[in-house]
Amino acid sequence: MDWSALALSLELAAWTTAILMPIGVLIGRTLARRQFVAKSLVEALIALPLVLPPTVLGFYLLVVFSGTSPLGQIYEMLIGRPLVFSFQGLLLASLIFNLPFAVQPVQRAFESLPGDIREAAWCCGMSSWRTFRSIEFPLVWTGVLSAMVLTFAHTLGEFGVVLMVGGNIPGETQTIAISIYDRVQALQDQQAALMSAILLVFSFATISLIYIINNRRRSRREY
Amino acid sequence: MDWSALALSLELAAWTTAILMPIGVLIGRTLARRQFVAKSLVEALIALPLVLPPTVLGFYLLVVFSGTSPLGQIYEMLIGRPLVFSFQGLLLASLIFNLPFAVQPVQRAFESLPGDIREAAWCCGMSSWRTFRSIEFPLVWTGVLSAMVLTFAHTLGEFGVVLMVGGNIPGETQTIAISIYDRVQALQDQQAALMSAILLVFSFATISLIYIINNRRRSRREY
Amino acid sequence: MNTNNTGGLHVHLEQATPIYLDAQFHCATGELIVLVGPSGSGKSTILRCIAGLTIPKQGLVRFNETAWLDTDLGIHLAPQKRSVGMVFQHYALFPHLSALDNITVVLGETSRVHREERARELLELVNLQGLESRRPEELSGGQQQRVALARSLARDPDVLLLDEPFSAVDQITRRKLQLELARLRQQLKMPIVLVTHDLDEACILADRMCVLHHGRSLQAGAPADVTSRPDSDLVARLVGLTNLFDGEVIDHKSEPKITLLCWANHTLECRHRPEIRPGQPVSWIIPPQQVILHRRDRPSRGERENPVHGVIRDFVVLGGDVSITMFVEDNPDLPLSLTLSSHVAYRNHLGMGEHITVSLLAHGIHLMPQR
Amino acid sequence: MNTNNTGGLHVHLEQATPIYLDAQFHCATGELIVLVGPSGSGKSTILRCIAGLTIPKQGLVRFNETAWLDTDLGIHLAPQKRSVGMVFQHYALFPHLSALDNITVVLGETSRVHREERARELLELVNLQGLESRRPEELSGGQQQRVALARSLARDPDVLLLDEPFSAVDQITRRKLQLELARLRQQLKMPIVLVTHDLDEACILADRMCVLHHGRSLQAGAPADVTSRPDSDLVARLVGLTNLFDGEVIDHKSEPKITLLCWANHTLECRHRPEIRPGQPVSWIIPPQQVILHRRDRPSRGERENPVHGVIRDFVVLGGDVSITMFVEDNPDLPLSLTLSSHVAYRNHLGMGEHITVSLLAHGIHLMPQR
Amino acid sequence: AADSPIVAAASSLNPALNEVRQIFEAETGQAIRLSFGSSGNIARQIIRGAPFELFLSADERYVRTLVDRALTIDRGALYAIGRLVLFVPNGSPVRADREMRDLERAVADGSLKRLAIANPEHAPYGRAARQLLEARGLWDRLGQKLVMGENISQTTQFAATGSVDAAILSHSMALSPAMSRRGRFVVLPEKWHDPMRHRMVLLRDASQIAVAFYSFLRAPAATQILERYGFSKPGAIP
Ligand SMILES: Nc1ncnc2c1ncn2[C@@H]1O[C@H](COP(=O)(O)OP(=O)(O)OP(=O)(O)O)[C@@H](O)[C@H]1O
Ligand SMILES: Nc1ncnc2c1ncn2[C@@H]1O[C@H](COP(=O)(O)OP(=O)(O)OP(=O)(O)O)[C@@H](O)[C@H]1O
Ligand SMILES: [Mg+2]
Ligand SMILES: [Mg+2]
């Protein structure tokens, strides 16, 4: 079993989820509240990372991140090391291809919030931030949870983009998904099965734990 | 440009979306309404297809679908041709790995339906089916839409599972994602870019059209 | 749990948790029963039990010959099968449908044209013509409530359950709707259960009134009876009666038939209640209208009866009436209310702090034995 | 759009769409103004404009020296900055928070203990002790409404906006809350705008009353003035006055000062209104309490004034009062209402179909020139 | 070790190269990290700046691309020659023979339903398989009976799961322990396709250890291991 790859995957998934959550809430909330002409187009744009095959998306991201592109050059200038084939590069790619999962459920949750509840908060003198923190966020929480679970699971399983942008470097960019993939490629079925089983059991435990806690909370408070 | 692969992809995505929609609504509704002990576990289980690398998931599906497995044998007996390397096999695989996208947003939408609206429908003598059709479904529609868009887009872009279960047979199981991937692998960058561009433009147009229609409808009716 | 009543709606509910219930009443076909009781006394819960939305631990709900609910026999009909029309306290309109469609959607499988026609009729009934295409959130509170009322009538229900159906509309509209309801009742001959906090409304509309408190039905009867002859001081308070005092029966006389009551150093003559034995502590009430002012300009009839002195401590003009509260013998624990026409008050130069004498008409005094 | 009023809340709103508004009123510090008007007349919309939740096309909302809204100057303060306490018509409680937390969450940044203490105080004020930990959906309608009321007071607002805040509670609780409100008003010295459909409530609580119709403010003034001297027949109807008729002024007399009115073959003596020129068609009203029965048992004062004959067509006992409708000269187009104590009705043997004579007290007749 | 050199290699080398690495590390005490992928992907990643020091390609052409771009130290060296086999899973209606006569028969009489090869568009073993089938006159007759794996490992999995009736695989894959129970194979003659030359090349920033490993791979200790895994020793061709 390749524990370092599992650790790396979890680290990546955790970071991705943690960073995407506020981004998803921000974008989802904006899309739910605002009406603007190009809104449908923005919504469609957000779904696009799903449409390309991951390896192909990875290839284009590789082009965009690499030292020959402006983005890559700026990054290298600021941070002092290349973006591609680094954990940071993986993370950035991961953020991009998980965007649809992070935004959509949150947007829907915000859309189904009754308007008068926010208005009531304002009339009670609650600032926008307090309204968000104490009223809106708890009420859209299940949507955020969906977004988080989808993002987390999808990051664990993704390997096309990761392989391309990260380069399968053990201990640095080799995730558990790639590691299992390597085993399958090498016809090491038993090792692959073992690793898959561990990954599945682990993910199952994590996700069901999240749901159990959430369902507890809701059966206590119904929200 | 490989038009037949694009057509095949669209067919697959359309079928997947069409079949998964009722399934997602059924499962999502049940999970939203019912409280049972193992609910959190079922919810976690549904997210699991995301956790395995697609190729690996595809490998296990290949094992399960192949002529040496009971499922594959039963299918071959009933239908007269093997399940693997056929469109039907692809579709089945596609249904499995898109399940999380089809269920989660719908479940959340059902959860945010106020209970008294259903009760009102019952007290008006509306049957469960009529209540569902005329009241519940229109109200969870945006959730269903999210589910459909995610499923549709993800099916277009997926190639790990599809390649494994489908075997890349032109005209039968070679989707546009595989076709683009092959071009990238063969270092045919221009062709790959062209095909990617067409796929992206096409998907963007389709999805934004869906959203435009939906947003129109909602700005008229707010739902 | 059995009953011999047949016809109409019979309700008997009991449970300890989560909401205490111990309520029983009957509503005959064509009858309108009004449930009154303080906020939180279980009125909405009882309507929900009748509609089948809540299942009590123990209970029987029977309509005509059919048991809708019988926990003993394990019968529990689905809400759809109960043919009730219900106005929810918070309306529960379908938010995605126009006012018109809120109604057409519940009309059976007749043709679209037919359904629309009927829906328009119903909206007209509740004075909403012109607003057919508005969605609930584009309607004012009272307009929403009227859509809910129209919807409850759409399926031609066997039983009508109305949870404060006029609370959000102005008095003119309310009067019109009350008239419509009275008309419908005559026409449709169904049991109607109405929840209201407006006791005037209750008195105008109801054949029977059922008083609830903490989930328990305390008294049921004709509104005039309940409000003039409550069973207990609690019921008296719940139906909003003022002039509620404690006293003690001291004797009964037979010529004329009166009962004598000891109260605050007075001996009052009361309506004859021979069944209350002397020495029994009682609560008693007198309606403000049965408290007669001794006029300065000229004596009026009834001044012999139970004269009481006091000082005016509250003087409120309400329309053409004046509502006066006096402290009997200057005692703030004995506030006594009376109402007068404002012209009478004016001609007698009444005002805050004036000393007055009133008579408590004997036949207006109602005694309630204390437990 | 300018105003010289200083102090208190000044409101002036105008727009044509989507909801027609042409309303203007002022509410001084410590004053309570009540908005009345039929369902859909724009009462909630006006409150929303004051709170800053809706922005009218043209408008001015000023509190003391501060402009909250001035469309001419482009001023539009955010709702959070307006320091209003608002009870929404549909409560708008926070569904995920307990009754207590619905209040603590809006209390500023003081310590948790402090906030809880204050929240408990407020819940006690509205009689909800013991229900602190219930979430809104576990509360009855009236209990929810009271949480909303408590919440609106939590931030010690400068202006209180109450949209039918007592509509879902029983009369006893309502009376208690009305008293609390009256007390708070004295104590806190803020302008209060109250929407209610209960005219009694309006008369008891309000310093001023503003009558709305289709978004337009028709008349504002002391409730007693508005209900006894409405500007027009429309206002009379809107504040629920009966006994509304048409007639024509024929002359004015100077000794005694009275105006003569021609109505249905009668010539009525009315309160002097010299500014109405003879020949002018008018609407007129008389309160039911100013219609005096000619008793059979003995004559009463005022029987000289405007005697009118008719037949009783409606006889409703309400508590200790009787409300009688008679058709003047048997004409069903001229229904005249009067109220009597039930004992008077009883002693005069009144009942359906009886012929009676009444006097219309001259000083009770109010004339309204027609436009 | 986090900063030990990274050697990028074609996926098909996976078990073999790991064994070579272990011996190398045991002999020299120097650590090496292996990163597997498709040769095409690795080439692209090198072009985009991947921190690889040595590239073992399954296909000479990718090495040439890098040489043309001056990303390498030299033109590299051959380290193995690949061989094709015809693999027939248990229970297949086809028998394995060197001349592929039974395969021809099965194609002709329709008893062969599926034949798996690697994708000839980009997988080196796929290209060779196509040349082979063309040489035998089978290519045009197979049509939709051809199932194409992404690379040679996936093609092998098609055969391993019994989803196809026959497969053209690399000798190395067919030799892997997982396959021995699943069917039988014959090594096919080299004359029907271009030689599959596996070339490796040191990249510009290669460290001493990478150079040492490069040399080690050409030493008998390494070539013997590779041969055991089905990779023939390159001849005199440089
Ligand atoms: N889910 C619940 N759990 C516990 N108690 C509840 C729940 N729902 C309602 N209650 C309580 O049950 C009691 C009865 O509620 P119900 O709604 O029937 O009152 P109501 O008579 O309709 O009052 P109102 O006139 O205020 O509408 C209330 O005290 C309420 O707090
Ligand atoms: N979004 C909207 N679009 C168009 N008209 C609206 C909208 N919202 C409300 N209205 C209309 O504006 C009018 C005023 O509504 P408002 O809620 O202010 O009435 P209200 O006086 O509070 O009535 P109620 O006593 O019934 O609550 C109503 O006729 C209503 O139908
Ligand atoms: Mg209720
Ligand atoms: Mg309103």
Side-chain angles (χ1 to χ4, degrees):
Chain A
M1 179 61 201
D2 192 346
W3 295 109
S4 76
L6 180 61
L8 189 79
S9 273
L10 292 178
E11 202 181 332
L12 183 67
W15 274 105
T16 306
T17 312
I19 296 177
L20 265 188
M21 201 178 82
I23 294 176
V25 168
L26 206 74
I27 300 180
R29 184 164 181 272
T30 309
L31 287 176
R33 295 262 178 276
R34 298 269 163 79
Q35 292 300 333
F36 49 93
V37 183
K39 180 172 152 176
S40 303
L41 306 185
V42 174
E43 285 180 85
L45 206 61
I46 286 173
L48 278 193
L50 282 179
V51 169
L52 280 186
T55 313
V56 177
L57 177 64
F59 168 57
Y60 290 122
L61 289 181
L62 183 63
V63 172
V64 173
F65 290 180
S66 75
T68 54
S69 83
L71 175 69
Q73 281 166 354
I74 291 170
Y75 182 91
E76 201 161 343
M77 223 169 65
L78 294 179
I79 310 292
R81 35 194 249 111
L83 184 54
V84 282
F85 310 114
S86 70
F87 183 77
Q88 287 72 19
L90 272 199
L91 185 56
L92 190 55
S94 188
L95 294 176
I96 291 170
F97 69 71
N98 277 308
L99 200 59
F101 305 132
V103 171
Q104 287 250 12
V106 180
Q107 182 183 345
R108 297 300 172 229
F110 272 105
E111 281 170 354
S112 70
L113 261 190
D116 61 349
I117 286 178
R118 268 191 321 145
E119 293 181 346
W122 295 340
C123 285
C124 291
M126 294 169 75
S127 65
S128 296
W129 167 245
R130 254 184 88 75
T131 303
F132 172 76
R133 203 188 55 184
S134 305
I135 309 298
E136 293 181 82
F137 190 75
L139 288 171
V140 298
W141 166 245
T142 54
V144 174
L145 187 76
S146 269
M148 284 170 68
V149 166
L150 289 179
T151 302
F152 185 83
H154 190 243
T155 310
L156 285 186
E158 174 48 46
F159 85 111
V161 175
V162 167
L163 185 60
M164 205 70 192
V165 175
N168 193 7
I169 302 170
E172 212 161 306
T173 60
Q174 185 180 73
T175 61
I176 185 75
I178 300 178
S179 188
I180 296 176
Y181 173 75
D182 278 353
R183 295 297 176 285
V184 171
Q185 293 282 305
L187 302 187
Q188 297 167 345
D189 287 359
Q190 286 191 351
Q191 280 195 47
L194 179 70
M195 287 169 76
S196 297
I198 290 175
L199 178 61
L200 282 176
V201 167
F202 181 87
S203 313
F204 182 73
T206 311
I207 299 174
S208 49
L209 195 72
I210 292 173
Y211 280 129
I212 286 172
I213 292 171
N214 186 53
N215 285 341
R216 276 269 167 72
R217 227 176 59 112
R218 280 168 68 215
S219 65
R220 264 214 320 272
R221 336 195 95 237
E222 270 299 310
Y223 273 87
Chain B
M1 179 60 201
D2 191 346
W3 294 110
S4 77
L6 182 60
L8 189 81
S9 275
L10 292 178
E11 204 181 329
L12 183 67
W15 273 105
T16 306
T17 312
I19 296 176
L20 265 188
M21 200 177 82
I23 295 176
V25 168
L26 206 74
I27 300 180
R29 186 164 179 273
T30 309
L31 287 176
R33 294 262 178 279
R34 298 269 163 76
Q35 293 298 333
F36 48 95
V37 183
K39 182 171 150 175
S40 304
L41 305 185
V42 174
E43 287 180 85
L45 205 62
I46 286 174
L48 278 194
L50 282 179
V51 169
L52 280 185
T55 314
V56 176
L57 177 64
F59 172 61
Y60 291 122
L61 289 180
L62 183 66
V63 171
V64 173
F65 290 0
S66 77
T68 54
S69 83
L71 175 70
Q73 280 167 354
I74 290 171
Y75 182 91
E76 200 161 344
M77 225 170 64
L78 294 178
I79 309 293
R81 36 194 246 110
L83 185 54
V84 282
F85 309 128
S86 71
F87 184 77
Q88 286 73 19
L90 271 198
L91 186 56
L92 191 54
S94 189
L95 294 177
I96 291 169
F97 70 72
N98 277 307
L99 200 60
F101 306 131
V103 171
Q104 286 251 10
V106 180
Q107 181 183 345
R108 296 301 170 228
F110 272 104
E111 281 170 352
S112 70
L113 262 189
D116 61 348
I117 287 178
R118 269 189 323 145
E119 293 181 345
W122 296 340
C123 284
C124 290
M126 293 171 75
S127 66
S128 295
W129 168 244
R130 254 183 88 75
T131 302
F132 173 76
R133 202 189 57 185
S134 305
I135 309 297
E136 293 181 81
F137 189 76
L139 289 172
V140 298
W141 165 246
T142 54
V144 174
L145 188 76
S146 268
M148 286 171 67
V149 167
L150 288 179
T151 302
F152 185 84
H154 190 243
T155 310
L156 284 187
E158 175 47 47
F159 86 111
V161 175
V162 166
L163 191 59
M164 203 74 189
V165 175
N168 197 4
I169 303 171
E172 193 160 354
T173 59
Q174 185 182 73
T175 62
I176 186 78
I178 299 178
S179 190
I180 297 176
Y181 171 78
D182 285 347
R183 295 295 176 286
V184 171
Q185 291 290 309
L187 302 189
Q188 297 167 346
D189 285 1
Q190 286 192 351
Q191 280 195 48
L194 180 70
M195 286 169 76
S196 297
I198 290 176
L199 178 62
L200 282 176
V201 168
F202 181 87
S203 312
F204 182 72
T206 311
I207 298 173
S208 50
L209 195 72
I210 292 173
Y211 281 129
I212 286 171
I213 293 171
N214 186 54
N215 285 341
R216 275 269 167 72
R217 227 177 57 113
R218 281 168 67 215
S219 64
R220 265 212 321 272
R221 336 194 96 237
E222 270 299 312
Y223 275 86
Chain C
M1 271 196 204
N2 228 313
T3 173
N4 296 321
N5 291 310
T6 53
L9 180 73
H10 180 76
V11 177
H12 189 157
L13 307 167
E14 282 180 14
Q15 77 178 359
T17 53
I19 301 169
Y20 182 84
L21 284 181
D22 177 10
Q24 177 163 28
F25 58 86
H26 181 81
C27 184
T29 301
E31 206 174 51
L32 189 151
I33 189 168
V34 64
L35 304 183
V36 300
S39 175
S41 57
K43 306 178 295 292
S44 302
T45 308
I46 290 172
L47 293 196
R48 289 177 58 85
C49 288
I50 300 174
L53 300 173
T54 299
I55 308 172
K57 297 270 154 58
Q58 274 278 321
L60 181 71
V61 174
R62 179 182 296 173
F63 173 65
N64 289 347
E65 298 304 300
T66 327
W68 282 358
L69 172 79
D70 189 334
T71 47
D72 286 348
L73 299 180
I75 295 173
H76 168 240
L77 224 64
Q80 287 103 323
K81 305 242 170 82
R82 296 195 183 195
S83 187
V84 299
M86 178 139 171
V87 172
F88 287 74
Q89 191 167 8
H90 300 304
Y91 323 151
L93 295 181
F94 305 130
H96 59 304
L97 297 178
S98 69
L100 193 75
D101 286 342
N102 257 281
I103 298 169
T104 53
V105 78
V106 309
L107 291 167
E109 296 297 339
T110 57
S111 75
R112 175 89 201 158
V113 177
H114 239 78
R115 280 186 286 158
E116 279 210 1
E117 194 181 318
R118 173 96 180 100
R120 269 175 215 285
E121 250 173 61
L122 284 165
L123 284 179
E124 213 157 301
L125 190 77
V126 296
N127 253 10
L128 285 179
Q129 52 275 48
L131 302 182
E132 290 86 356
S133 60
R134 294 261 186 90
R135 270 173 302 113
E137 54 155 19
E138 295 167 346
L139 293 171
S140 78
Q143 289 164 346
Q144 289 176 31
Q145 193 170 42
R146 284 179 279 161
V147 175
L149 186 63
R151 188 180 64 178
S152 74
L153 298 170
R155 70 185 293 201
D156 292 322
D158 289 339
V159 173
L160 207 51
L161 306 174
L162 308 174
D163 202 346
E164 305 186 29
F166 313 127
S167 65
V169 296
D170 57 291
Q171 294 200 343
I172 300 170
T173 311
R174 182 179 302 201
R175 220 165 293 147
K176 184 184 169 306
L177 293 176
Q178 287 168 352
L179 283 178
E180 280 302 336
L181 185 63
R183 208 178 50 73
L184 273 172
R185 232 177 94 195
Q186 310 237 304
Q187 202 179 303
L188 301 179
K189 293 275 171 237
M190 56 185 168
I192 303 178
V193 184
L194 173 75
V195 171
T196 183
H197 287 308
D198 183 341
L199 286 167
D200 293 348
E201 184 170 280
C203 292
I204 295 169
L205 290 174
D207 299 304
R208 292 160 58 74
M209 178 186 262
C210 177
V211 181
L212 292 166
H213 188 244
H214 285 326
R216 184 192 296 273
S217 50
L218 298 177
Q219 186 176 358
D225 289 351
V226 175
T227 52
S228 63
R229 288 192 296 280
D231 277 353
S232 64
D233 59 332
L234 180 58
V235 173
R237 243 190 301 265
L238 291 178
V239 297
L241 300 181
T242 49
N243 295 347
L244 174 65
F245 305 99
D246 291 336
E248 193 181 308
V249 167
I250 38 178
D251 204 359
H252 300 287
K253 288 200 177 173
S254 50
E255 199 51 49
K257 283 194 142 105
I258 51 172
T259 296
L260 291 181
L261 175 75
C262 170
W263 170 67
N265 309 329
H266 290 74
T267 298
L268 301 181
E269 302 178 345
C270 311
R271 203 165 58 216
H272 198 216
R273 292 287 295 280
E275 75 277 15
I276 308 176
R277 55 172 175 68
Q280 163 97 30
V282 292
S283 299
W284 63 275
I285 49 166
I286 183 164
Q289 295 87 353
Q290 310 274 30
V291 179
I292 304 298
L293 178 73
H294 291 197
R295 300 194 182 183
R296 297 195 185 166
D297 46 354
R298 55 145 198 243
S300 31
R301 272 197 54 166
E303 295 199 356
R304 300 181 325 273
E305 296 176 26
N306 303 326
V308 169
H309 308 272
V311 60
I312 296 179
R313 273 303 144 93
D314 215 0
F315 188 97
V316 178
V317 183
L318 269 177
D321 277 336
V322 177
S323 168
I324 291 174
T325 304
M326 63 187 270
F327 287 165
V328 173
E329 332 241 86
D330 281 14
N331 183 345
D333 292 341
L334 299 174
L336 182 72
S337 302
L338 60 158
T339 37
L340 297 172
S341 290
S342 55
H343 68 101
V344 173
Y346 172 75
R347 282 175 186 170
N348 286 275
H349 311 292
L350 300 188
M352 286 286 282
E354 294 283 326
H355 281 266
I356 54 172
T357 308
V358 296
S359 272
L360 311 182
L361 297 185
H363 74 93
I365 295 181
H366 171 67
L367 305 179
M368 300 163 287
Q370 288 179 353
R371 267 154 308 195
Chain D
M1 272 195 204
N2 227 313
T3 174
N4 298 320
N5 291 310
T6 51
L9 180 74
H10 179 76
V11 177
H12 189 158
L13 307 167
E14 282 180 15
Q15 79 178 1
T17 55
I19 300 169
Y20 181 84
L21 283 182
D22 177 10
Q24 179 164 24
F25 58 87
H26 180 81
C27 183
T29 301
E31 204 174 53
L32 189 151
I33 189 169
V34 65
L35 305 182
V36 300
S39 175
S41 57
K43 305 178 293 296
S44 300
T45 308
I46 289 173
L47 293 197
R48 289 176 57 85
C49 289
I50 300 174
L53 301 173
T54 299
I55 308 172
K57 297 273 155 58
Q58 274 277 320
L60 181 71
V61 174
R62 178 182 297 174
F63 173 65
N64 290 346
E65 299 303 301
T66 328
W68 283 358
L69 173 80
D70 189 334
T71 47
D72 287 349
L73 300 180
I75 295 173
H76 168 240
L77 224 63
Q80 288 101 322
K81 305 243 170 83
R82 294 193 187 197
S83 184
V84 299
M86 179 140 169
V87 172
F88 286 75
Q89 192 167 9
H90 301 304
Y91 324 149
L93 296 180
F94 306 131
H96 59 304
L97 297 178
S98 69
L100 193 75
D101 286 341
N102 257 280
I103 298 171
T104 53
V105 80
V106 310
L107 291 169
E109 296 297 340
T110 56
S111 76
R112 176 87 202 160
V113 178
H114 238 78
R115 281 186 286 158
E116 280 210 4
E117 193 180 324
R118 174 96 180 98
R120 272 176 212 284
E121 249 173 62
L122 285 164
L123 284 179
E124 212 156 304
L125 190 77
V126 296
N127 254 11
L128 285 179
Q129 53 275 50
L131 302 181
E132 289 87 355
S133 60
R134 295 261 186 91
R135 269 173 303 110
E137 56 157 17
E138 296 167 346
L139 293 170
S140 79
Q143 289 163 346
Q144 289 175 31
Q145 194 171 39
R146 283 178 278 159
V147 175
L149 186 64
R151 188 180 63 179
S152 75
L153 298 171
R155 71 186 291 201
D156 292 322
D158 289 338
V159 173
L160 206 51
L161 307 172
L162 308 174
D163 203 346
E164 305 186 29
F166 313 127
S167 65
V169 296
D170 58 290
Q171 294 198 344
I172 300 170
T173 311
R174 183 179 302 200
R175 220 166 296 148
K176 183 183 171 304
L177 293 176
Q178 286 168 351
L179 282 178
E180 280 302 336
L181 185 63
R183 209 177 49 74
L184 273 172
R185 231 178 96 195
Q186 309 235 303
Q187 203 179 304
L188 301 179
K189 292 276 173 236
M190 58 186 166
I192 302 178
V193 185
L194 172 76
V195 172
T196 183
H197 286 309
D198 182 341
L199 286 167
D200 293 348
E201 183 170 281
C203 292
I204 294 169
L205 290 176
D207 300 302
R208 291 159 60 73
M209 177 186 265
C210 176
V211 181
L212 293 165
H213 188 244
H214 286 326
R216 185 191 296 272
S217 51
L218 298 176
Q219 186 177 355
D225 289 351
V226 176
T227 53
S228 61
R229 290 191 292 281
D231 277 355
S232 64
D233 59 332
L234 179 58
V235 173
R237 243 191 302 267
L238 291 179
V239 297
L241 300 181
T242 48
N243 294 347
L244 174 65
F245 306 98
D246 291 336
E248 192 181 308
V249 167
I250 40 179
D251 204 0
H252 301 285
K253 286 198 176 172
S254 50
E255 200 50 51
K257 284 192 151 140
I258 51 170
T259 296
L260 292 182
L261 174 75
C262 171
W263 170 69
N265 309 327
H266 290 74
T267 299
L268 300 182
E269 301 179 344
C270 311
R271 203 164 56 216
H272 198 215
R273 292 287 295 279
E275 76 279 13
I276 308 175
R277 54 172 177 68
Q280 163 97 29
V282 293
S283 300
W284 64 274
I285 49 166
I286 183 163
Q289 295 87 351
Q290 309 274 30
V291 179
I292 304 297
L293 177 72
H294 291 200
R295 301 195 180 181
R296 296 194 186 166
D297 46 354
R298 56 150 197 238
S300 30
R301 273 195 56 163
E303 293 199 355
R304 302 177 325 271
E305 295 177 27
N306 303 325
V308 169
H309 308 274
V311 59
I312 296 179
R313 274 304 144 93
D314 214 358
F315 189 96
V316 178
V317 183
L318 269 177
D321 277 336
V322 177
S323 168
I324 291 173
T325 306
M326 64 186 271
F327 287 167
V328 174
E329 332 240 88
D330 281 13
N331 184 345
D333 292 342
L334 299 174
L336 182 71
S337 302
L338 60 158
T339 35
L340 296 172
S341 289
S342 55
H343 68 103
V344 173
Y346 171 76
R347 283 175 185 169
N348 286 274
H349 311 292
L350 299 187
M352 286 286 282
E354 293 284 324
H355 281 265
I356 54 171
T357 307
V358 297
S359 269
L360 311 183
L361 296 186
H363 74 93
I365 296 181
H366 171 68
L367 304 178
M368 301 163 287
Q370 288 179 354
R371 267 154 309 193
Chain E
D3 49 358
S4 47
I6 306 164
V7 174
S11 306
S12 49
L13 290 167
N14 191 340
L17 204 57
N18 258 313
E19 200 174 323
V20 175
R21 184 197 61 165
Q22 276 165 18
I23 293 172
F24 173 76
E25 287 179 351
E27 276 189 11
T28 62
Q30 305 280 17
I32 290 262
R33 285 184 291 173
L34 294 176
S35 166
F36 294 101
S38 85
S39 304
N41 278 350
I42 294 171
R44 282 189 185 289
Q45 287 169 331
I46 290 169
I47 291 169
R48 295 291 161 185
F52 303 147
E53 300 186 13
L54 173 61
F55 172 30
L56 280 76
S57 177
D59 191 341
E60 225 179 357
R61 291 190 304 171
Y62 295 116
V63 173
R64 238 180 274 136
T65 309
L66 297 181
V67 171
D68 291 348
R69 291 179 182 244
L71 292 166
T72 58
I73 287 176
D74 54 14
R75 293 181 52 245
L78 291 181
Y79 63 91
I81 300 291
R83 292 295 298 272
L84 287 182
V85 303
L86 176 63
F87 183 89
V88 179
N90 297 333
S92 165
V94 182
R95 268 183 295 116
D97 61 277
R98 255 183 82 84
E99 304 297 312
M100 298 203 295
R101 300 229 181 275
D102 197 55
L103 187 72
E104 275 172 48
R105 171 203 60 80
V107 171
D109 67 16
S111 56
L112 179 116
K113 302 260 170 18
R114 299 281 184 203
L115 173 68
I117 62 170
N119 195 326
E121 284 186 60
H122 49 79
Y125 287 97
R127 202 172 58 244
R130 176 179 177 160
Q131 288 168 350
L132 177 99
L133 291 170
E134 278 172 347
R136 302 302 296 153
L138 288 170
W139 180 255
D140 293 329
R141 293 158 60 189
L142 281 163
Q144 292 209 330
K145 288 176 177 165
L146 270 183
V147 174
M148 285 180 290
E150 175 194 354
N151 51 33
I152 198 62
S153 332
Q154 201 174 65
T155 314
T156 311
Q157 276 149 7
F158 291 158
T161 55
S163 309
V164 292
D165 300 320
I168 296 174
L169 306 177
S170 71
H171 191 198
S172 60
M173 285 292 162
L175 279 174
S176 76
M179 298 304 288
S180 58
R181 292 176 287 110
R182 300 216 161 101
R184 35 185 80 239
F185 68 88
V186 291
V187 179
L188 297 172
E190 278 176 297
K191 60 185 176 201
W192 288 325
H193 59 86
D194 296 341
M196 280 177 295
R197 291 192 285 227
H198 290 35
R199 187 176 285 273
M200 59 180 173
V201 68
L202 280 165
L203 298 164
R204 266 201 320 221
D205 297 327
S207 63
Q208 282 307 315
I209 306 168
V211 175
F213 190 60
Y214 178 80
S215 313
F216 184 76
L217 275 168
R218 301 170 70 182
T223 51
Q224 274 163 20
I225 293 170
L226 288 175
E227 248 179 321
R228 189 146 48 71
Y229 278 93
F231 297 97
S232 307
K233 221 169 15 190
I237 322 152

